[in-house]
Amino acid sequence: MASNTWKNWSKALAAGCALAALSLAACSPKAPEAPAAAAKVDWPGLIKDWIEDDFAANPSFAAYEGEHKFDGLQPDFSDAGLKTEINRLKLWKAKATSVDPAQLTDPQKFERDYLIATVDMRLFWIEASDWPHKSPAYY
């Protein structure tokens, strides 16, 4: 009977050691993974999309710039239209700021900064200063 007790005890000890080893393995830090390569941004495509989107949102400016398919159209200056424009500008700011400048050439970095500054300026006049409701010159 003593040998049965010893066998049971040794099996329990072996199972406990195996469980402890598995627990330690699960808690140990994983090997560091190689950083994922940042996705290369299509900067010219992004700028092209910005221009098309901005012309659609500001058709009178688009017509002034020579896009005559927008002749006679006006932006939506209603409260809902202004909120839509604020959201559109914030979306474009997020897109531009998400682009890592390290991926861009020097002229593209300037374009990125200029786009962000343009969006910030427009947001200031529409949202912060509430210029559409305070100045008839806005229209």
Side-chain angles (χ1 to χ4, degrees):
M1 203 144 141
S3 77
N4 261 351
T5 306
W6 175 251
K7 287 181 184 177
N8 290 340
W9 186 81
S10 64
K11 286 181 183 177
L13 181 63
C17 288
L19 183 60
L22 286 173
S23 297
L24 287 174
C27 294
S28 65
K30 293 181 180 178
E33 295 178 15
K40 182 74 174 147
V41 66
D42 175 22
W43 184 255
L46 187 94
I47 291 299
K48 180 180 175 282
D49 291 346
W50 156 255
I51 291 170
E52 289 175 4
D53 188 53
D54 199 51
F55 279 179
N58 300 292
S60 54
F61 176 71
Y64 177 80
E65 290 297 315
E67 287 290 328
H68 295 294
K69 66 182 178 183
F70 295 104
D71 285 352
L73 301 176
Q74 293 296 316
D76 183 1
F77 290 125
S78 68
D79 285 340
L82 293 171
K83 287 179 184 173
T84 299
E85 178 66 357
I86 289 168
N87 291 335
R88 183 186 78 84
L89 291 170
K90 287 181 178 180
L91 175 68
W92 275 103
K93 182 174 181 179
K95 285 181 183 182
T97 56
S98 71
V99 174
D100 180 12
Q103 297 182 29
L104 304 175
T105 64
D106 286 341
Q108 290 173 335
K109 288 176 189 175
F110 176 79
E111 286 178 346
R112 177 185 175 274
D113 292 344
Y114 191 86
L115 174 58
I116 293 168
T118 298
V119 169
D120 283 342
M121 182 231 6
R122 289 187 187 177
L123 283 171
F124 170 79
W125 286 111
I126 296 172
E127 190 175 37
S129 71
D130 195 27
W131 206 237
H133 294 108
K134 295 179 180 175
S135 173
Y138 182 80
Y139 304 97

